[in-house]
Amino acid sequence: MRYLAKFSGIVKITFVSAFLSLFVIAPVAANPSLEAACVRGGGTWDGTTCIPAATSSSTAKESACLGSGGTWDGTTCTSPDGRTVTGTLQQVANILIFIVGAISVIMVIIGAIRYTVAQGDQNAISAAKNTILYAIVGVVLSVAAFGIVGFVTGQFS
């Protein structure tokens, strides 16, 4: 039983790490500074807003896309190998969310097994209930992350 308690602690740490990665670290790492993006796109930064470059045939997004080696179709920038940034982010997020969901389901099963073999021991029953609770919280967080990632990538497309 000690092994399952240690495993439960590891799963809790994993969920906290996944939460921090999805909601704290990833947004900071995925978004370059607005000023750098403005300048890279050919615009001028006035301290609070980006003023697009006055070009006759291209927009700032088109200039940034073409400057990075991509292909601009009027609304979407596609990389030379055919992938878009939002498509790649969506695919990575879907894989990670699937993994977290699968681990959560496994932890619910482990919690149920722990509950059935507790044999009336209140400490074991409490630990089993906590395992199930944290697994359900993991499922809720993964569903929320899926919605947030879908919303954010929808804003960029």
Side-chain angles (χ1 to χ4, degrees), residues 45-118:
W45 184 255
D46 70 357
T48 56
T49 58
C50 182
I51 301 167
T55 59
S56 59
S57 64
S58 65
T59 65
K61 286 184 179 181
E62 181 181 9
S63 297
C65 177
L66 297 174
S68 66
T71 304
W72 181 255
D73 68 0
T75 58
T76 306
C77 182
T78 306
S79 68
D81 58 358
R83 295 181 302 181
T84 61
V85 173
T86 55
T88 302
L89 287 176
Q90 187 73 39
Q91 186 176 13
V92 169
N94 287 341
I95 291 169
L96 291 175
I97 291 165
F98 173 78
I99 291 169
V100 169
I103 290 171
S104 296
V105 169
I106 291 169
M107 289 308 297
V108 167
I109 293 169
I110 289 173
I113 292 171
R114 289 178 66 189
Y115 190 79
T116 57
V117 298

Side-chain angles (χ1 to χ4, degrees), residues 11 15 97-111 131-143:
V11 170
F15 283 128
I97 291 165
F98 173 78
I99 291 169
V100 169
I103 290 171
S104 296
V105 169
I106 291 169
M107 289 308 297
V108 167
I109 293 169
I110 289 173
T131 300
I132 294 170
L133 174 69
Y134 292 133
I136 291 172
V137 168
V139 169
V140 170
L141 285 177
S142 66
V143 169

